[in-house]
């Protein structure tokens, strides 16, 4: 506690000679958040330090992010006098980095609470709305749109009044004069974001939409993505109430809060409060620029005709699904997961056929052989496994020790692809290389599973590979922001597609068009 400098790097441990960070409590976007102590006060109270930290983001939007960080401090200084918004204590630059220090709110955010509690009842939702709507009205009266209202950004104070506090104004924006009519940055959390905000046209009613979606999530404990039927273009949250009744009056309020079309949604906090039968939160007529609070009439964009529908949701993996692949006859889907398993699913019924276990790392890629008899899987455990489709039997491991030597990758396998003739397999790895493996027709052939060539040239991990339809070339993309086209007869690059993306970006996906004339990258 008495140290002033880091014994490892020599940096000052105290910010502004008074704020001492204790531990990292969050990281995302362009900032890191620390729990800290204000050593300048006798009581040494807790506070929160937000550090602008874009170093590892790999983006060309750092200037925009720095501007947003600066504006967050300005808004907190203006809005933090409200008892349900954290107070700004300091904003400064030290050692070339921006910081803001704000009041620490002891308590649990609503997302954390929901993990251990039952879904909210009607009275709890009404209480939440009556508690939070005045706060939203307050920020709107200062011409600010929060743009990121969600359970994670609402904290219930750990004291007798148990008031709700709205936090994280990093995404907020001013809405002065004609600003509401301009297309801006798309920002917010997709699950809770209003359609017009996703198009860069956030209005005051966008915050009401996010608050409504938050209520639906708290009522059901189900992701908002699942509560909206894309095929029908309607919310279906009532299906997920789990013996939790909601009166028609509150249901109508929630439905109107989450209307897709802005002009059918509540236009102001006062409207919602009046419907709920509560006192209006603020006298909006006191604002000098009254036009700033008027939501412009918005004509919704025509909804495109639906050309697809979800036929099955395949549930069974315990962790993220990293990859999927269709068999050539379209009857089977394979999936690889962070739970280190591969599953085969029947397309027509959505039934799980079997689970294949053996990898000791994330299964990053799966691929069917052209004849549909073999499934290949690539994993963070640095190996590629070949499986018999009909039985799920492990046929062999490529990259494993064998014959007294090791031919495999020295890093995790990120992508695999079968050659169109089915006799060759390519693999990409975090070791920055691509390997071409000989398969042939006979698994018992002495040369089966040997490396034919190693393609080196990328300066960072390779993330995606794709054979051209004629099988003569291979495309590879990397975290080094380049795409290379390899001539497989020579084993060298014939073309480098460099810096098609400004800044440093990982290129995660590649696909050739059927005629081989176009390559798409993501």
């Amino acid at each position: 506690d008495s140290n002033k400098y880091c014994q490892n790097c020599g940096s000052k441990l105290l910010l502004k000679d008074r704020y001492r960070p204790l531990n990292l409590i969050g990281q995302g976007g362009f900032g890191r958040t620390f729990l800290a102590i204000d050593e300048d006060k006798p009581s040494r109270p807790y506070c929160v330090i937000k550090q602008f930290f874009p170093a590892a983001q790999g983006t060309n939007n750092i200037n925009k992010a720095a501007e947003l960080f600066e504006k967050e401090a300005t808004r907190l200084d203006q809005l933090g006098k409200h008892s349900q918004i954290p107070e700004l204590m300091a904003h400064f630059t030290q050692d070339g980095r921006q910081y803001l220090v704000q009041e620490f709110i002891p308590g649990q955010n609503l997302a954390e609470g929901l993990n251990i509690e039952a879904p909210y009842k009607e009275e709890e939702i009404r209480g939440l709305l009556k508690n939070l709507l005045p706060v939203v009205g307050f920020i709107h009266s200062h011409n600010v749109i929060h743009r990121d209202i969600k359970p994670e950004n609402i904290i219930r104070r750990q004291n007798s009044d148990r008031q709700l506090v709205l936090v994280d104004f990093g995404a907020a924006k001013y809405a002065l004069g004609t600003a509401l009519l301009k297309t801006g940055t798309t920002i917010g959390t997709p699950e809770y974001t209003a359609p017009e905000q996703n198009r860069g046209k956030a209005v005051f009613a966008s915050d009401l939409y996010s608050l409504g979606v938050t209520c639906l999530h708290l009522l059901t404990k189900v992701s908002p993505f699942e509560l909206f039927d894309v095929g029908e273009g309607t919310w279906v949250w009532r299906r997920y109430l789990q013996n939790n009744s909601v009166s028609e009056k509150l249901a109508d309020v929630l439905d109107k809060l989450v209307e897709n079309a802005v002009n059918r949604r509540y236009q102001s906090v006062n409207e919602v409060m009046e419907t709920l039968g509560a006192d209006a939160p603020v006298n909006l007529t006191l604002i000098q620029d009254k036009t700033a609070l008027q939501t412009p009439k918005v004509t919704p964009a025509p909804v495109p005709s639906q050309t697809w529908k979800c036929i099955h949701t395949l549930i069974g993996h315990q962790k993220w699904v990293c990859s999927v692949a269709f068999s050539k006859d379209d009857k089977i889907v394979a999936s690889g997961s962070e739970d280190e398993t591969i599953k085969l699913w029947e397309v027509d019924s959505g039934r799980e056929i079997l689970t294949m276990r053996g990898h000791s790392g994330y299964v990053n890629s799966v691929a069917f052989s052209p004849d549909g008899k073999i499934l290949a899987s690539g994993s963070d455990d640095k190996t590629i496994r070949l499986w018999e489709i009909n039985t799920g039997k492990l046929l062999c491991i490529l990259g494993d020790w064998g014959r007294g030597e090791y031919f495999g990758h020295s890093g995790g396998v990120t992508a695999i692809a079968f050659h169109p003739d089915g006799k060759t397999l390519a693999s990409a790895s975090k070791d920055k290389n691509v390997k071409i493996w000989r398969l042939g027709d006979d698994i018992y052939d002495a040369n089966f599973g040997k490396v034919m060539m190693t393609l080196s040239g990328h300066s960072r991990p390779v993330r995606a590979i794709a054979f051209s339809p004629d099988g003569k070339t291979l495309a590879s993309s990397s975290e080094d922001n380049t795409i290379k086209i390899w001539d497989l007869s020579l084993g060298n690059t014939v073309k480098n597609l460099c810096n098609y993306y400004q800044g440093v970006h990982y290129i995660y996906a590649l696909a050739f068009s059927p005629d081989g004339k176009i390559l798409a990258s993501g």
Side-chain angles (χ1 to χ4, degrees):
D1 284 354
S2 61
N3 286 350
K4 300 294 183 184
Y5 299 94
C6 173
Q7 295 178 13
N8 183 45
C9 70
S11 297
K12 280 186 177 182
L13 291 177
L14 294 182
L15 293 176
K16 290 200 81 176
D17 294 321
R18 68 180 286 185
Y19 302 111
R20 180 183 293 276
L22 299 179
N23 56 278
L24 183 71
I25 57 176
Q27 180 165 341
F30 294 88
R32 301 196 297 191
T33 307
F34 299 86
L35 179 65
I37 285 178
D38 183 356
E39 296 196 346
D40 205 41
K41 295 184 177 180
S43 61
R44 290 165 58 89
Y46 286 122
C47 58
V48 171
I49 296 170
K50 289 191 74 170
Q51 177 194 49
F52 178 59
F53 189 76
Q57 299 302 317
T59 180
N60 61 340
N61 288 327
I62 289 178
N63 289 338
K64 179 67 177 177
E67 180 187 338
L68 285 172
F69 192 86
E70 183 81 22
K71 286 180 177 177
E72 180 178 8
T74 304
R75 292 185 193 101
L76 276 177
D77 192 33
Q78 181 185 36
L79 302 173
K81 307 305 178 187
H82 193 288
S83 62
Q84 290 171 264
I85 296 173
E87 182 179 359
L88 180 70
M89 298 163 66
H91 175 232
F92 54 91
T93 300
Q94 181 169 310
D95 297 331
R97 290 205 184 279
Q98 285 190 74
Y99 297 91
L100 61 85
V101 183
Q102 65 188 57
E103 173 191 3
F104 170 69
I105 309 296
Q108 202 174 44
N109 72 49
L110 298 191
E112 294 168 336
L114 196 62
N115 286 332
I116 57 176
E117 297 169 1
Y120 278 40
K121 302 294 184 186
E122 170 157 350
E123 282 312 304
E124 293 173 296
I125 292 295
R126 284 181 174 275
L128 178 143
L129 287 170
K130 290 178 181 179
N131 198 312
L132 270 185
L133 281 167
V135 188
V136 177
F138 174 79
I139 67 173
H140 288 180
S141 73
H142 284 76
N143 303 312
V144 172
I145 306 169
H146 188 282
R147 293 201 297 180
D148 201 16
I149 295 175
K150 58 184 179 180
E152 288 84 352
N153 285 341
I154 303 167
I155 297 176
R156 190 178 296 281
R157 279 193 190 273
Q158 210 169 32
N159 58 14
S160 57
D161 66 16
R162 306 273 290 161
Q163 269 199 328
L164 298 175
V165 179
L166 188 58
V167 302
D168 198 348
F169 284 75
K173 73 173 287 187
Y174 283 112
L176 293 170
T178 59
L180 287 173
L181 303 175
K182 296 179 180 177
T183 300
T185 307
T186 300
I187 199 165
T189 305
E191 281 183 289
Y192 301 91
T193 304
E196 71 279 359
Q197 185 173 322
N198 280 326
R199 294 193 290 270
K201 291 181 176 290
V203 293
F204 293 109
S206 305
D207 280 347
L208 298 179
Y209 180 98
S210 299
L211 183 58
V213 177
T214 294
C215 290
L216 298 185
H217 179 55
L218 296 173
L219 268 174
T220 61
K221 289 188 76 168
V222 174
S223 162
F225 284 145
E226 298 295 323
L227 299 177
F228 188 82
D229 189 320
V230 180
E232 296 184 14
T234 58
W235 289 93
V236 291
W237 58 271
R238 288 170 176 80
R239 298 178 190 170
Y240 298 89
L241 282 177
Q242 301 177 19
N243 303 318
N244 194 5
S245 61
V246 174
S247 69
E248 277 306 308
K249 183 174 182 181
L250 179 62
D252 290 344
V253 170
L254 297 176
D255 284 338
K256 191 167 181 179
L257 280 170
V258 296
E259 277 280 4
N260 277 349
V262 182
N263 56 4
R264 292 200 297 269
R265 201 182 305 154
Y266 287 110
Q267 298 299 295
S268 72
V269 165
N270 279 0
E271 277 188 53
V272 191
M273 296 291 278
E274 286 169 12
T275 308
L276 286 171
D279 295 332
V282 288
N283 182 358
L284 299 185
T285 58
L286 295 178
I287 299 165
Q288 291 180 344
D289 184 1
K290 296 176 187 175
T291 59
L293 287 174
Q294 296 170 1
T295 304
K297 295 287 183 183
V298 175
T299 303
V303 179
S305 58
Q306 193 70 41
T307 58
W308 59 270
K309 66 176 180 178
C310 176
I311 56 171
H312 298 296
T313 298
L314 311 180
I315 299 172
H317 285 294
Q318 300 304 307
K319 295 184 179 179
W320 285 6
V321 177
C322 304
S323 53
V324 290
F326 268 102
S327 61
K328 190 174 182 181
D329 60 9
D330 292 339
K331 292 183 178 180
I332 298 174
V333 165
S335 58
S337 167
E338 287 189 359
D339 65 12
E340 303 178 0
T341 69
I342 302 132
K343 290 182 182 289
L344 297 183
W345 312 82
E346 191 176 72
V347 172
D348 287 344
S349 67
R351 178 180 64 89
E352 181 181 325
I353 301 170
L354 55 86
T355 298
M356 293 173 280
R357 294 179 172 86
H359 282 297
S360 59
Y362 296 171
V363 181
N364 295 317
S365 185
V366 289
F368 283 95
S369 61
D371 63 10
K373 295 179 180 179
I374 294 174
L375 180 78
S377 58
S379 167
D380 267 356
D381 65 11
K382 307 176 187 177
T383 70
I384 300 151
R385 291 173 181 252
L386 302 183
W387 312 81
E388 188 175 64
I389 297 298
N390 290 338
T391 63
K393 173 187 172 185
L394 177 65
L395 298 173
C396 68
I397 302 175
L398 308 182
D400 201 9
W401 285 95
R403 308 183 188 94
E405 52 188 334
Y406 183 76
F407 296 101
H409 287 289
S410 59
V413 178
T414 54
I416 51 177
F418 275 98
H419 189 278
D421 65 10
K423 300 180 187 297
T424 307
L425 183 79
S427 61
S429 171
K430 293 178 182 178
D431 66 10
K432 309 173 189 176
N433 296 323
V434 176
K435 288 184 181 290
I436 309 296
W437 306 79
R438 177 181 286 109
L439 299 184
D441 297 315
D442 185 1
I443 194 170
Y444 299 107
D445 187 309
N447 290 318
F448 188 96
K450 280 200 168 183
V451 175
M452 297 167 59
M453 65 178 74
T454 298
L455 308 178
S456 301
H458 284 294
S459 60
R460 298 196 66 182
V462 183
R463 284 288 170 180
I465 49 176
F467 281 104
S468 61
D470 62 12
K472 294 180 180 179
T473 58
L474 178 86
S476 63
S477 66
S478 164
E479 292 181 13
D480 64 11
N481 197 24
T482 67
I483 300 167
K484 293 182 180 292
I485 309 296
W486 306 85
D487 183 330
L488 294 177
S489 63
L490 302 173
N492 61 6
T493 53
V494 292
K495 191 169 292 186
N496 285 290
L497 309 180
C498 300
N499 298 319
Y500 272 63
Y501 305 89
Q502 294 301 311
V504 180
H505 287 286
Y506 299 173
I507 304 173
Y508 277 110
L510 293 172
F512 276 99
S513 61
D515 62 6
K517 294 180 180 179
I518 297 173
L519 178 71
S521 61

